[in-house]
Amino acid sequence: RAAVAAAEAAVEVARAHAAGEAGELRLGLSPGAHYVAQPLLAEFARRRPQVRVRARQDNSGALAEQVAAGRLELALGFCTEPRDGVVCEWLRDEPVVVAAAADHPLAARDRVALAELADETIALVDSRDGAGYNRAVVALCRAAGFEPRTHPHPQGPMAWETAVRNERCVGLTARSAALSTARGIRLIELAPPASFPLELVRPAAPEAAWRPAARAFAALAR
């Protein structure tokens, strides 16, 4: 009887894994996707409570590299730089906001036009892992009619936040970013509005080759 019960349990576990209802999901999260990821992860946990999500937060470029290498199965990226081995699938457009230190003159404003930043120094992220974001920021500034003056040689994971908080730079980020809760930084609406893309960073391999939990999460994200 014990052997039969164990066999039945093993079959049930195998069925749950095959259906994506159990197992593990290795997921990357960009800080720019922070507030989008929270309700998504909560809903995924409600639907598939037996799937353990092992999440890692990093810049989108680093996450894409790990998806390409197979260390992560999927990632939620933000202005992700294309690379071999991954596909950056658009999920939604996130409104762009201006980030400034609490004592910056712009921090007292409710709205600011992008063209008003022409005389400001714009914060960028470390180009190794954030080249896609940096290009998107420069493209927005050029579309507003000016060549941005950027902070020189940003390096390290805190380069952007440090430049905004301590070095009188201003930054552009998504409203869904974790930075909206950073102490000493205020987010200001952009008028007219602009947006950055939020993406599902997935392997270039056919979806049928993914593990079931990854397919289930991708379907929910879409």
Side-chain angles (χ1 to χ4, degrees):
R1 286 196 296 270
V4 170
E8 290 174 347
V11 169
E12 179 59 26
V13 168
R15 186 204 65 77
H17 277 262
E21 296 172 358
E24 181 181 277
L25 172 65
R26 289 174 281 112
L27 179 68
L29 301 172
S30 164
H34 183 79
Y35 287 112
V36 173
Q38 282 185 337
L40 180 58
L41 287 170
E43 178 62 16
F44 188 72
R46 187 188 70 80
R47 295 188 185 190
R48 300 177 186 269
Q50 296 183 70
V51 175
R52 181 182 181 187
V53 178
R54 302 175 72 91
R56 171 170 182 167
Q57 183 167 291
D58 209 330
N59 289 337
S60 296
L63 297 177
E65 181 179 349
Q66 292 175 59
V67 171
R71 293 191 293 272
L72 293 175
E73 294 172 272
L74 298 169
L76 293 179
F78 171 59
C79 298
T80 312
E81 177 80 351
R83 65 170 59 237
D84 292 340
V86 301
V87 174
C88 299
E89 178 183 331
W90 176 89
L91 291 177
R92 62 188 281 179
D93 288 324
E94 278 296 305
V96 174
V97 291
V98 177
D103 60 350
H104 192 285
L106 289 176
R109 302 269 299 274
D110 293 326
R111 287 178 175 78
V112 62
L114 196 54
E116 294 180 78
L117 305 183
D119 295 327
E120 302 287 344
T121 301
I122 308 295
L124 298 179
V125 300
D126 191 315
S127 59
R128 181 184 180 277
D129 295 327
Y133 163 81
N134 289 348
R135 266 196 280 275
V137 168
V138 171
L140 281 181
C141 294
R142 288 173 177 168
F146 69 96
E147 188 68 25
R149 181 176 64 204
T150 58
H151 190 270
H153 311 301
Q155 291 183 333
M158 299 295 289
W160 186 94
E161 186 175 347
T162 300
V164 171
R165 191 199 306 271
N166 300 327
E167 299 177 24
R168 306 297 289 176
C169 295
V170 298
L172 299 177
T173 188
R175 190 180 293 154
S176 61
L179 270 298
S180 60
T181 59
R183 290 184 179 180
I185 293 179
R186 182 160 185 273
L187 300 185
I188 308 140
E189 295 294 323
L190 196 61
S195 63
F196 284 140
L198 187 73
E199 303 121 340
L200 178 69
V201 182
R202 57 182 177 84
E207 196 161 328
W210 305 356
R211 293 200 298 178
R215 293 200 300 269
F217 184 86
L220 181 61
R222 291 168 181 140

